[in-house]
Amino acid sequence: MSDATFEPPQIAPLEPPSRLLMGPGPSDVHPRVLKAMSTPLIGHLDPAFVAMMTEVQDLLRYTFRTGNRWTIPVSGTGSAAMEAAFANLVEPGDRVAVPSNGYFGDRMAAMVERAGGNVVRVEAPWGEPLSPDAVESVLAEHAPAILAFVHAETSTGALQPDVEQLTRIAREHGALVIADTVTSLGGVELRVDEWGIDVAYSGGQKCLSCPPGASPLTLNDRAMEKVGARSAPVRSWYLDLSLLQNYWGDERSYHHTAPITNIYALREALRLVAEEGLENRWARHRRIAGGLKAGVVAMGLQMLPEDAWWLPSLNAVRVPDGIDAKLVTSTLLSRHGIEISGGFGPLAGRIFRIGCMGHSCSSRNVLALLPALAEALREQGFEVDVKEGLAAAVEAMDE
Ligand SMILES: *Cc1c(COP(=O)(O)O)cnc(C)c1O
């Protein structure tokens, strides 16, 4: 190769385009979180940082509604917290029940298999929640060690209702419960202890409006007993909780360098949750996303989920017949700077996925999105009444 190949690349200064993030994540980051991220690094074993670790753990317990001692941010995105849950809880040969009603159930299955477990499926169509009956019959037939479910299925916009029923069934059958709360934590009602969830994991960039990189995980004593009783070590060194406990437990000794800036960000994002109050935050998501829902319905569109499992943080809206969903989402992005997303898997081309998460969940954003969406649909020949949509949204959000 000639030396010319090693000329320094000419790269322009960083200037990301201005966007309104209303897709399935990430959501818009609060300015206070961005500011926290531009503060200077300190060492990950500095006493000042160690104090922050404790604060973040306290804030996470508040947000998860748990007293679990084992409540930490895992270094990595939501999938890292997810893999930490499965890699530690699943021992080779364990049977694990996972849902078939969305993309993230498939990811759970893949992680279970890599951990040496055997997957059994609780069946439900994409876009619907699991029924307690289906869970009951799978647990009765296969007696799995673990039942996993997705509280807020981002791929379909379906909320899992009846969580307490699922956890009660699991307990009756001696199974531990792992809940994916990536798109519910900090946005949708979630009560880890009261609902009997043994393990819950989440991510930063959905309803917490943090950049991805430090991801909440909580485990109760029952779950940690199973981890502690493993006969074979966890196959992942990085995510092995028995090693991580030296850093996040009482010792605070080095395991890996915490993503310091991400911990700053998470701390500030969780402070915002605490300031607003968790219940107020759940109510805001229902009210604002309720406005979005009322608006799209008044414009003649239909929601995919039934109201009983509508997910405020991720609104799945049916694509009208004859409409090219990709063209709509690309028009919104290029012309208005608004990011929403389409469906995939069995729902490809059939739904729009509109996030209402954290800092992105505001009446201002809903009122910016509705006319832009209406315009993009009208250009493809689908007539909508924007005025009706805006009026319905305003009314719903004002209540
Ligand atoms: C986003 C998401 C994940 C994965 O999180 P990443 O941060 O993308 O790794 C897992 N489960 C659900 C339900 C999600 O929405």
Side-chain angles (χ1 to χ4, degrees), residues 11 28 36 72 91 128 157 174 196 212 218 238 253 264 272 290 348:
I11 308 292
D28 283 332
I72 63 169
E91 279 201 87
E128 290 182 26
T218 188
Y238 194 66
S253 61
Y264 289 172
L272 285 161

Side-chain angles (χ1 to χ4, degrees), residues 100 108 125 131 194 272 304 394:
S100 71
M108 287 173 163
S131 77
E194 203 178 314
L272 285 161
L304 175 74
V394 166

Side-chain angles (χ1 to χ4, degrees), residues 44-58:
H44 60 290
L45 297 173
D46 187 312
F49 190 74
V50 168
M52 283 183 216
M53 291 167 69
T54 305
E55 291 166 348
V56 169
Q57 290 183 286
D58 285 343

